[in-house]
Amino acid sequence: STECFTPVNWYPTSVPTTVLNTLVKNGVYPDPRIGLNMYFIPDASDEFNEEHDLSKFSYLPGKRNPWKDPYWYRTSFEMPKNPNKRQWLVFNAINYRSEVWLNGKMVADPMDMVGAFRRFKYDVTNYIKPGESNHLAVKVYGVDHPGVPGTQLDPLNITRVQKDGERTEIMKDVTFNVAAVGYDCAPDVRDRMMGIWQDVYIECTGDIDIRDPFVKTKLSLPETNIAMLSVSTELVNAASIAKRGLLKGTIEEVGIKFEKEVELAPGETKIMIFSPQEFTQLIIDKPLLWWPAGYGDQNLYHMTLNFEIDGDISDKEEVIFGIREITKELYELYGEYGLRVHINGQKILCRGGYLMVDTLLDSEMMGEERFEQELRYLKEANLNTFCMEDIPNLPDIFFDLCDRYGMMFWNNFHQCHWL
C-alpha cells in the first residue's frame, strides 16, 4: 500500500466483483454460468473437491484450494487538495473479512471488518495525502465456514440449513448462506462470493457527518389528503472536542424548511428526529402520493439535510423519497393464512416473482444501466413486485430505481421455507 510497491502479474479488475469473477474474466477458470463449467473449478470445500476430483483444476502451486487464501485488491488514486475537511473511506459491502491498508498504514483489521451485510466507514484524514497519489490495498478473506455443497434438484431440503436441530456449517456466518453453497434450483458458488460487493470511495465532510437520513410517512387513513412526515438521521462528531451547530432540512417541492440546534460531545453519535408533532410544517396538505406500478403515479420528493457550524456546511445529504404509508396484515381464508399488503390504505395485488443478481457480482451486471433495464421490463410486463432470495447487499441506486418504476421489493432473506 505504498508507492514503493510495483504490482507484477496482477489481474486487472473492477469493483464490485468477486474473486472468482476476476479469475474468470482473466481466463484462469471457465465461466461457471455456462454448461457444466462449474465442474472445472475447485470448490471452497476440500471434502467436496476430494469427492468430485476437483482439486486438479486448481491454478495454484501444489493444486491447493484456491479459496483458502486471502486475496489482495489494490488501486492508486489522486486525492485533490481539500483543506479543513475530513476524509472517510467507505466500503458499502465486502465478503467476508477484510484488512485495509492506506499509504502504508493499517485502517482496519479482519476482526473488525467482518460480515457481508454491513457497511464500513473509516476516518482516514491522518492517512490520506491531499494533492498526491494515494495507494489503497484491501486483503479479502473468504467465509469462515464454507460448508459442503448439497445435492441439487432436492426441493426444500432442510438439511442444507440444519441437521439434527443444529445449524449446518454455512449457516454460522453472516453471509450469502444457502444460495452460495447450492440449493434446489441453483449450483453452489465456488468461492462463496468472496470479494468486494459494492463501491469503495472517499467521502469528504467537516467534523460532523450526516448518516442514513430517512423519511417515514403517516397518512390520516382512510383519507389520504393529509400526510405527516417524520425525518430521522444520525449525526457523528469525528472531532476530539464538542461541536454545536444547526441541522437544517428542506423539502423542495413543497417549500418546507425545518431546523434544530444540536450539540455533540467528542466522538458522539446521536440520532436526530424531526416529528410532525414538533415541526408542524412536516404536515402536508394534499400530498402527491407514491403508488406501485399500475395503481397510480410514482411521485417523488427531494429532501436536503445540511449541518452548519458557524455558517459553514460540515456535511450535506440529499434524499429522494415517496410519500406513502405501507401496512400489512395476516388474513385468514378457509383456514389458511396469507399476507395482505396495503399501500396508502388500498389493498394491492402483488404480481411478480424472482429476480436474481449475477452469481459473480460482475460490475457490469450490477450497474445502474442493467438494473434499470430489468426493472423497466418488469413494469412493462404489468408486474409490481419482485423478490431476491438470500441476496448480497444491493446498492442504493437499485432502490432508487424501484421507487422510480413503482416496483415493490420483497427481501426474501435467510430461506423462505423457514416461514
Side-chain angles (χ1 to χ4, degrees):
S1 64
T2 71
E3 69 280 358
C4 300
F5 178 77
T6 301
V8 178
N9 295 328
W10 283 52
Y11 297 112
T13 190
S14 57
V15 171
T17 186
T18 60
V19 173
L20 177 56
N21 183 51
T22 298
L23 296 179
V24 167
K25 282 201 157 190
N26 285 277
V28 177
Y29 292 118
D31 192 331
R33 297 165 296 192
I34 298 173
L36 295 178
N37 283 347
M38 182 71 71
Y39 285 92
F40 295 96
I41 306 173
D43 189 75
S45 166
D46 289 329
E47 178 182 337
F48 192 81
N49 289 334
E50 183 176 355
E51 180 181 357
H52 296 278
D53 194 23
L54 298 181
S55 295
K56 64 185 178 184
F57 297 113
S58 173
Y59 76 107
L60 296 180
K63 299 301 179 182
R64 71 179 188 271
N65 192 323
W67 318 120
K68 295 288 188 182
D69 297 322
Y71 283 77
W72 285 98
Y73 288 71
R74 185 183 191 273
T75 190
S76 298
F77 61 95
E78 297 295 323
M79 188 67 191
K81 291 184 178 180
N82 195 10
N84 303 321
K85 284 286 188 178
R86 290 188 176 274
Q87 289 87 45
W88 302 89
L89 178 59
V90 183
F91 292 81
N92 281 340
I94 58 96
N95 188 42
Y96 179 65
R97 297 180 182 271
S98 286
E99 181 179 303
V100 180
W101 293 76
L102 178 61
N103 296 327
K105 305 291 185 181
M106 179 183 279
V107 176
D109 64 47
M111 298 304 295
D112 167 65
M113 195 173 181
V114 57
F117 295 94
R118 298 176 62 198
R119 291 174 291 181
F120 304 92
K121 193 169 187 176
Y122 300 105
D123 187 349
V124 293
T125 307
N126 295 329
Y127 303 151
I128 211 120
K129 298 178 180 179
E132 299 182 34
S133 181
N134 292 262
H135 309 279
L136 175 66
V138 182
K139 192 177 187 180
V140 176
Y141 296 77
V143 294
D144 297 343
H145 305 90
V148 180
T151 306
Q152 283 181 247
L153 302 178
D154 187 5
L156 304 184
N157 181 354
I158 195 66
T159 59
R160 300 181 190 283
V161 180
Q162 56 183 329
K163 188 173 183 179
D164 300 326
E166 297 291 331
R167 289 178 298 167
T168 53
E169 187 181 13
I170 191 65
M171 295 302 297
K172 295 177 181 178
D173 294 331
V174 185
T175 184
F176 204 41
N177 289 310
V178 173
V181 81
Y183 59 115
D184 52 5
C185 57
D188 69 296
V189 184
R190 291 299 194 220
D191 67 344
R192 305 297 186 266
M193 304 190 87
M194 67 183 297
I196 298 178
W197 282 4
Q198 281 196 41
D199 289 337
V200 181
Y201 55 93
I202 298 289
E203 187 176 88
C204 298
T205 73
D207 287 331
I208 304 300
D209 184 21
I210 301 173
R211 299 184 183 179
D212 302 328
F214 188 73
V215 181
K216 183 179 179 181
T217 302
K218 181 69 177 176
L219 299 174
S220 53
L221 298 174
E223 302 297 325
T224 59
N225 58 338
I226 299 292
M228 293 166 284
L229 305 183
S230 296
V231 177
S232 62
T233 191
E234 272 190 359
L235 298 179
V236 177
N237 181 9
S240 57
I241 60 174
K243 291 287 180 176
R244 179 187 292 270
L246 280 177
L247 179 60
K248 295 183 176 182
T250 302
I251 301 177
E252 299 175 10
E253 291 78 5
V254 285
I256 290 176
K257 295 184 178 182
F258 49 95
E259 63 180 49
K260 181 181 289 188
E261 189 173 26
V262 187
E263 182 171 359
L264 293 101
E268 181 182 8
T269 297
K270 182 177 290 186
I271 297 176
M272 301 299 301
I273 298 176
F274 294 92
S275 70
Q277 291 77 25
E278 183 181 1
F279 297 86
T280 55
Q281 61 267 48
L282 292 173
I283 301 175
I284 300 177
D285 186 38
K286 297 182 177 61
L288 298 176
L289 301 179
W290 181 94
W291 293 96
Y295 285 82
D297 295 329
Q298 288 77 55
N299 296 297
L300 296 172
Y301 290 78
H302 299 76
M303 181 183 72
T304 301
L305 289 179
N306 292 329
F307 193 89
E308 297 183 6
I309 302 176
D310 299 328
D312 294 328
I313 295 179
S314 176
D315 194 19
K316 177 181 178 180
E317 292 288 340
E318 297 184 359
V319 177
I320 299 174
F321 68 96
I323 293 181
R324 61 200 171 198
E325 183 173 346
I326 304 172
T327 56
K328 56 190 176 182
E329 63 173 328
L330 194 64
Y331 70 97
E332 180 184 359
L333 182 65
Y334 307 129
E336 300 291 339
Y337 291 87
L339 182 67
R340 177 175 286 165
V341 176
H342 294 170
I343 306 291
N344 304 329
Q346 181 173 334
K347 287 187 292 185
I348 302 296
L349 177 60
C350 298
R351 303 185 305 275
Y354 280 91
L355 177 69
M356 296 305 289
V357 296
D358 177 49
T359 189
L360 298 181
L361 294 192
D362 185 79
S363 56
E364 294 181 5
M365 302 283 280
M366 296 286 288
E368 179 178 357
E369 181 179 359
R370 182 179 177 90
F371 280 146
E372 182 166 13
Q373 291 173 348
E374 291 179 333
L375 293 176
R376 179 171 56 85
Y377 291 156
L378 292 177
K379 182 174 182 177
E380 292 178 355
N382 292 318
L383 304 179
N384 60 23
T385 309
F386 69 96
C387 170
M388 294 185 182
E389 185 170 15
D390 299 332
I391 60 167
N393 271 337
L394 288 165
D396 288 346
I397 185 59
F398 175 83
F399 298 104
D400 290 340
L401 289 167
C402 288
D403 280 344
R404 194 186 310 170
Y405 283 96
M407 301 303 298
M408 295 184 293
F409 173 68
W410 166 36
N411 191 355
N412 182 11
F413 187 61
H414 286 302
Q415 293 71 58
C416 55
H417 60 269
W418 279 8
L419 307 180

